[in-house]
Amino acid sequence: MPRWGLLVEQNLGLGGQRRVWSAGVMDHVDGTREEALEALRRRAEEYKPLHPASPKRRRLYRERDGFVLVLDGAWQSFHCRFTVMEELYDSAAPTPEPEPRTAPEPEPVRPPPPVRRRPVQPRPEPEPERAWDADVPEVPSWLNRDRPPS
């Protein structure tokens, strides 16, 4: 669906030399061009420009892409141009949220393969405790008794 910008162009500033023709976006409309033009017309009818401060007369004209509002002031006339334009690009637009993806159908659950277990072997019986002097010779070699007594 296209997005339409509702633009207003008007004179800003005071005096002949200091006036600036300025444009601004009033709003956006998502929809058809006709819907955007209708929204722009309502805005143009209610619009209160900076100049003149106390208009004596207001006239609204329709043109192909919008409207022109002519205001007669105490000393001179001012005008505002209202235009509807299709927005093609906006560098500051928020990124659209990604569309939710449909979850793929889950694959059928397969039972896990059987676990092959080794047969449980009984633990070997513990060895009996050794005596505290099991590794001590009966005749120490330092007594020169490494040979049996005669």
Side-chain angles (χ1 to χ4, degrees):
M1 181 172 289
R3 183 175 176 102
W4 301 91
L6 307 181
L7 281 75
V8 60
E9 299 171 274
Q10 64 179 327
N11 280 319
L12 298 179
L14 296 171
Q17 299 296 325
R18 295 188 179 128
R19 265 196 220 154
V20 178
W21 187 245
S22 177
V25 178
M26 295 189 307
D27 201 1
H28 289 94
V29 174
D30 294 323
T32 65
R33 184 174 184 276
E34 288 73 27
E35 292 171 338
L37 277 169
E38 183 57 35
L40 183 64
R41 179 180 177 169
R42 287 191 303 270
R43 290 285 189 118
E45 289 172 354
E46 302 170 352
Y47 192 72
K48 303 221 184 299
L50 296 176
H51 301 295
S54 302
K56 306 290 182 213
R57 182 177 180 189
R58 292 173 62 100
R59 291 172 282 175
L60 184 64
Y61 296 96
R62 182 183 178 110
E63 60 179 359
R64 180 176 178 183
D65 291 324
F67 305 91
V68 175
L69 177 64
V70 179
L71 301 132
D72 294 333
W75 303 101
Q76 59 186 344
S77 294
F78 292 88
H79 73 282
C80 301
R81 181 176 303 275
F82 299 91
T83 312
V84 64
M85 295 182 188
E86 184 177 2
E87 181 182 271
L88 300 178
Y89 172 75
D90 182 358
S91 65
T95 56
E97 294 182 18
E99 294 182 14
R101 296 182 182 176
T102 57
E105 291 184 25
E107 293 184 21
V109 179
R110 296 181 186 167
V115 178
R116 294 184 182 172
R117 296 186 177 176
R118 295 182 181 171
V120 179
Q121 296 180 359
R123 290 186 177 183
E125 297 216 9
E127 296 179 13
E129 284 190 30
R130 297 176 69 190
W132 65 273
D133 59 348
D135 294 327
V136 178
E138 289 203 26
V139 179
S141 62
W142 54 271
L143 288 175
N144 291 327
R145 296 188 184 172
D146 44 342
R147 51 187 174 174
S150 23

